[in-house]
């Protein structure tokens, strides 16, 4: 495993983290608790020491499974738990809420579900325009000072929102979407991360499975699977993305004797500013592929060839905006 320090914290986190949205089941067609726990144990066995979760993943289920898996294994102190705050749910629909009262309440709920008395990295999940960012930041700063959280993070924030946040609180980590097919952060968030020496956790490095090389033209999704609402998985875009995957796979094999999944994750890890890629595995055997992304680098020629494939194959790249939860209607100053 490769490791990297989160600036100003001394936390030496693995560059591949276990992402646990799918483990919560919601929007991923359900979950299996024992299989999920086996997956988390397999991640720890591989040297992964960072687990990313959120209350909203399965409405508590993901955090509970993470808590149980760590308790069964023991050595809580060897694992970095990254969880989130600021989304509430009612009858399956989500709204943003980063008010101080909500943050305090959610922290207690997360500590209970995770069976711990501190959170290593606490991240505001989505910006909430109904609450002044400074108010949210002040509460996060207070939790940090109280020792309840060891690092402060935000997710899906713009540089302007981070500027406001940092006028009141320390900020250590940023969690944006980032993968070969979703590169919007290169225009703003990633340069900001570098300039401010923050640590970025890239979510969706496999583009929800699209970059694994296992998706077929006739792959079907069912139930509440979010890929049913992801435009990349619908015609006519799906065929373009699959064609790009095939060419990327050929490039990986010819140049490095690797596959598309290996270069997709290596590409994320090689971008300056990226600390960690959050890998959304939910079966232990899916983590066997982690080794293929580690301990090598893409050279400049390969990076240029990758960009050329993307330009040729994908006429109008689209981002992950479809995932954004509805904004709270009220707008704060
Ligand atoms: P991802 O990691 O890009 O992709 C997950 C998909 O990859 C799943 O469909 C899984 O397949 C597949 N997969 C994983 N390993 C594989 C393997 N070895 N072979 C074949 N397929 C494999 O997407 P993600 O789960 O959306 O993102 C990762 C993590 O980022 C999440 O778990 C969560 O912690 C975080 N996240 C955060 C936010 C945010 O707003 N902050 C948003 C999204 C995600 P199966 O479905 O078959 O298991």
């Amino acid at each position: 495993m490769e490791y990297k320090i989160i600036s100003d914290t001394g936390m030496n986190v693995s560059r591949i983290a276990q992402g646990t949205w799918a483990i919560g089941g919601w929007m991923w067609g359900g979950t299996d608790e024992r299989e999920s726990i086996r997956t988390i144990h397999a991640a720890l066995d591989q040297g992964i020491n960072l687990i990313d979760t959120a209350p909203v993943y399965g409405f508590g289920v993901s955090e509970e499974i993470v808590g149980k898996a760590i308790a069964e294994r023991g050595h809580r102190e060897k694992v970095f738990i990254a969880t989130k705050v600021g989304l509430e749910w009612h009858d399956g629909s989500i709204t943003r809420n980063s008010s101080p009262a909500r943050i305090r309440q959610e922290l207690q709920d997360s500590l209970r579900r995770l069976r711990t008395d501190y959170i290593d990295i606490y991240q505001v999940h989505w910006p909430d325009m109904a609450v002044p960012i400074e108010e949210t930041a002040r509460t996060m700063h207070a939790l940090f000072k109280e020792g309840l959280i060891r690092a402060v993070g935000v997710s899906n924030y713009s540089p302007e929102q981070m500027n406001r946040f940092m006028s009141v609180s320390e900020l250590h980590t940023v969690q944006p979407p980032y993968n070969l097919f979703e590169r919007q952060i290169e225009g703003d968030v990633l340069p900001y991360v570098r300039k401010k020496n923050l640590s970025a956790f890239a979510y969706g490095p496999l583009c929800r499975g699209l970059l694994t090389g296992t998706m077929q033209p006739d792959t079907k999704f069912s139930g509440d699977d979010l890929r049913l609402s992801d435009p990349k998985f619908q015609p006519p875009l799906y065929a373009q993305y699959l064609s790009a995957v095939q060419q990327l796979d050929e490039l990986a094999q010819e140049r490095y004797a690797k596959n598309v999944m290996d270069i997709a994750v290596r590409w994320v890890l090689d971008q300056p500013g990226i600390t960690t890629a959050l890998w959304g595995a939910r079966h232990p055997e899916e983590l066997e592929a982690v080794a293929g992304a580690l301990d090598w680098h893409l050279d400049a020629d390969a990076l240029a060839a990758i960009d050329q494939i993307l330009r040729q194959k994908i006429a109008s790249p689209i981002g992950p905006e479809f995932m954004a939860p509805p904004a709270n209607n009220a707008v704060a100053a």
Side-chain angles (χ1 to χ4, degrees):
M1 183 50 61
E2 298 173 32
Y3 298 88
K4 203 163 183 169
I5 299 256
I6 297 177
S7 327
D8 299 331
T9 68
M11 292 186 209
N12 198 20
V13 298
S14 53
R15 298 205 68 206
I16 305 280
Q18 168 72 48
T20 63
W21 183 9
I23 273 174
W26 167 72
M27 295 190 84
W28 289 89
T31 187
D32 175 321
E33 183 179 298
R34 276 324 308 171
E35 182 75 354
S36 301
I37 290 174
R38 273 196 295 276
T39 307
I40 292 168
H41 289 169
L44 298 174
D45 290 342
Q46 290 216 17
I48 291 175
N49 65 5
L50 175 59
I51 302 176
D52 181 72
T53 182
V56 78
Y57 297 163
F59 311 126
V61 170
S62 173
E63 283 193 333
E64 274 167 12
I65 289 175
V66 170
K68 198 167 185 179
I70 294 172
E72 279 184 15
R73 181 54 68 99
H75 298 293
R76 160 71 184 92
E77 75 288 353
K78 290 189 177 164
V79 184
F80 297 108
I81 301 177
T83 193
K84 311 190 188 81
V85 63
L87 291 181
E88 59 183 356
W89 57 89
H90 299 284
D91 301 326
S93 58
I94 310 297
T95 43
R96 308 183 193 201
N97 185 351
S98 296
S99 64
R102 174 75 191 172
I103 293 175
R104 290 270 175 194
Q105 176 60 50
E106 273 198 60
L107 178 71
Q108 291 310 316
D109 292 343
S110 290
L111 291 174
R112 187 189 69 250
R113 288 191 288 253
L114 289 161
R115 307 180 189 201
T116 184
D117 54 8
Y118 66 95
I119 303 293
D120 297 280
I121 302 151
Y122 206 40
Q123 309 155 101
V124 183
H125 206 149
W126 283 86
D128 176 5
M129 304 327 263
V131 176
I133 283 179
E134 293 78 3
E135 233 180 78
T136 300
R138 209 166 284 122
T139 311
M140 297 292 280
H141 172 67
L143 299 180
F144 180 72
K145 286 287 166 209
E146 290 162 31
L148 290 164
I149 65 176
R150 296 177 64 205
V152 177
V154 293
S155 179
N156 303 300
Y157 266 49
S158 69
E160 294 70 32
Q161 290 163 337
M162 288 189 263
N163 269 337
R164 287 181 64 181
F165 194 100
M166 289 172 82
S167 70
V168 174
S169 171
E170 50 285 286
L171 181 64
H172 304 103
T173 67
V174 177
Q175 188 176 138
Y178 195 44
N179 60 61
L180 274 170
F181 292 149
E182 296 173 331
R183 298 173 56 171
Q184 287 73 7
I185 66 163
E186 290 175 2
D188 52 8
V189 172
L190 208 44
Y192 186 85
V193 160
R194 291 177 197 136
K195 188 167 144 206
K196 300 286 185 182
N197 197 25
L198 301 170
S199 296
F201 297 169
Y203 75 70
L206 301 170
C207 201
R208 296 167 292 288
L210 198 47
L211 282 161
T212 60
T214 59
M215 296 286 165
Q216 301 299 322
D218 60 353
T219 299
K220 294 271 181 291
F221 304 101
S222 59
D224 66 351
D225 197 304
L226 83 159
R227 287 160 299 190
L228 289 169
S229 55
D230 184 341
K232 290 186 195 62
F233 289 80
Q234 320 305 325
L237 295 180
Y238 190 46
Q240 293 177 20
Y241 281 101
L242 285 185
S243 175
V245 167
Q246 193 186 335
Q247 283 233 331
L248 290 167
D249 196 49
E250 283 166 21
L251 178 145
Q253 289 184 29
E254 281 162 19
R255 296 194 184 218
Y256 299 105
K258 297 274 183 188
N259 62 37
V260 61
M261 188 159 26
D262 299 330
I263 58 166
V265 177
R266 188 69 247 171
W267 181 89
V268 169
L269 295 178
D270 277 353
Q271 306 304 313
I274 298 294
T275 295
T276 288
L278 306 178
W279 189 304
R282 55 176 153 180
H283 304 290
E285 58 275 14
E286 287 180 339
L287 290 164
E288 287 165 15
V290 165
L294 297 174
D295 298 322
W296 63 287
H297 295 284
L298 288 155
D299 62 28
D301 265 9
L303 291 172
I306 288 171
D307 285 349
Q308 201 183 358
I309 291 172
L310 298 176
R311 269 196 308 273
Q312 278 172 355
K313 293 289 176 185
I314 298 155
S316 318
I318 49 162
E321 303 79 27
F322 76 98
M323 277 196 283
N328 208 325
N329 283 335
V331 175

